[in-house]
């Protein structure tokens, strides 16, 4: 299977030199641009369009550390983008309880129109999101460096599950803030 890393000729790794990736993306975009084959037959035009689409999708995924982490986990067999992903159901009970408490506290702050409280919670949650991403990145680096084991995949999966939850929480605070200020 051709991966997003293969599209750019890069080794499969969590760490990516983003400025070098952007330069490579610009170069490949020019080479693959559909206008270069505008006079070719339909099959060549379709091939160019598919190449451009694959390039754009690969770039969008690899330039963003969160998307890159989710993608690497998917390459290890865990797709957290699927709603029925077993890994989501496999989150530790303590975390799920914590999620409920945070959600209730945010709901209370929103009911009371307490923007300062919601912002304070967002600051804490953002720090926890960064820590969870760092934990996932560490596990993925070990996996990609030749480390093996379901424990590493599980660790990355749980950390990225937290990243996903914390990101949604922060989006909800942002929406509340916009609503409060308008």
């Amino acid at each position: 299977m051709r991966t997003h890393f293969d599209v750019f000729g890069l080794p499969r790794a969590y760490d990516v030199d983003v400025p070098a990736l952007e330069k490579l993306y610009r170069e490949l975009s020019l080479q693959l641009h559909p206008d270069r084959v505008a006079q070719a037959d339909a099959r060549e035009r379709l091939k160019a369009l598919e190449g451009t689409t694959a390039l754009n999708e690969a770039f969008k995924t690899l330039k963003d550390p969160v998307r890159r982490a989710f993608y690497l986990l998917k390459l290890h067999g865990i797709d957290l983008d699927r709603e029925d992903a077993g890994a989501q159901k496999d989150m530790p009970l303590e975390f799920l309880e914590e999620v409920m408490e945070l959600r209730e506290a945010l709901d209370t702050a929103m009911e009371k129109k307490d923007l300062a409280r919601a912002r304070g919670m967002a600051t804490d949650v953002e720090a926890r999101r960064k820590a969870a991403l760092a934990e996932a990145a560490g596990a993925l680096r070990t996996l990609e460096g030749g480390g093996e084991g379901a424990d590493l995949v599980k660790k990355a999966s749980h950390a990225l599950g937290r990243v996903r939850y914390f990101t949604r929480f922060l989006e909800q605070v942002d929406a509340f803030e916009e609503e409060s200020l308008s």
Side-chain angles (χ1 to χ4, degrees), residues 2-173:
R2 192 162 185 236
T3 70
H4 292 335
F5 296 97
D6 296 334
V7 170
F8 288 98
L10 295 173
R12 195 167 113 170
Y14 175 75
D15 296 299
V16 170
D17 180 345
V18 175
L21 178 71
E22 289 170 343
K23 183 176 186 283
L24 197 52
Y25 172 72
R26 285 190 300 274
E27 291 168 2
L28 290 170
S29 292
L30 291 173
Q31 288 174 19
L32 294 172
H33 198 279
D35 287 351
R36 292 180 60 103
V37 292
Q39 304 305 315
D41 65 27
R43 196 170 75 224
E44 283 298 311
R45 291 194 313 267
L46 180 60
K47 187 177 169 190
L49 182 62
E50 288 170 348
T52 299
T53 302
L55 179 68
N56 290 338
E57 180 62 30
F59 179 67
K60 186 169 79 173
T61 300
L62 296 183
K63 76 175 182 175
D64 180 286
V66 174
R67 285 183 182 200
R68 188 179 330 123
F70 276 91
Y71 180 70
L72 280 168
L73 187 62
K74 185 177 179 178
L75 294 178
H76 284 279
I78 306 288
D79 185 355
L80 291 180
D81 290 327
R82 288 184 37 202
E83 287 303 316
D84 65 338
Q88 289 177 343
K89 298 180 192 98
D90 192 31
M91 291 297 287
L93 184 60
E94 316 83 70
F95 177 71
L96 298 175
E97 290 170 351
E98 181 186 335
V99 163
M100 287 178 59
E101 289 171 14
L102 270 171
R103 174 79 51 214
E104 288 169 8
L106 180 58
D107 287 346
T108 300
M110 290 169 69
E111 285 169 17
K112 293 181 177 178
K113 307 275 187 233
D114 189 347
L115 185 57
R117 172 88 178 110
R119 283 180 176 156
M121 292 173 70
T123 299
D124 175 56
V125 167
E126 176 58 31
R128 292 163 66 187
R129 189 185 86 81
K130 285 179 180 170
L133 181 58
E135 182 183 329
L140 290 166
R141 282 183 188 108
T142 303
L143 274 169
E144 295 306 321
E148 293 202 20
D151 288 349
L152 284 170
V153 172
K154 187 174 187 176
K155 182 177 183 178
S157 174
H158 284 179
L160 289 174
R162 293 195 312 273
V163 167
R164 166 144 304 142
Y165 168 74
F166 292 145
T167 299
R168 287 181 183 154
F169 183 93
L170 293 168
E171 288 168 353
Q172 193 173 2
V173 171

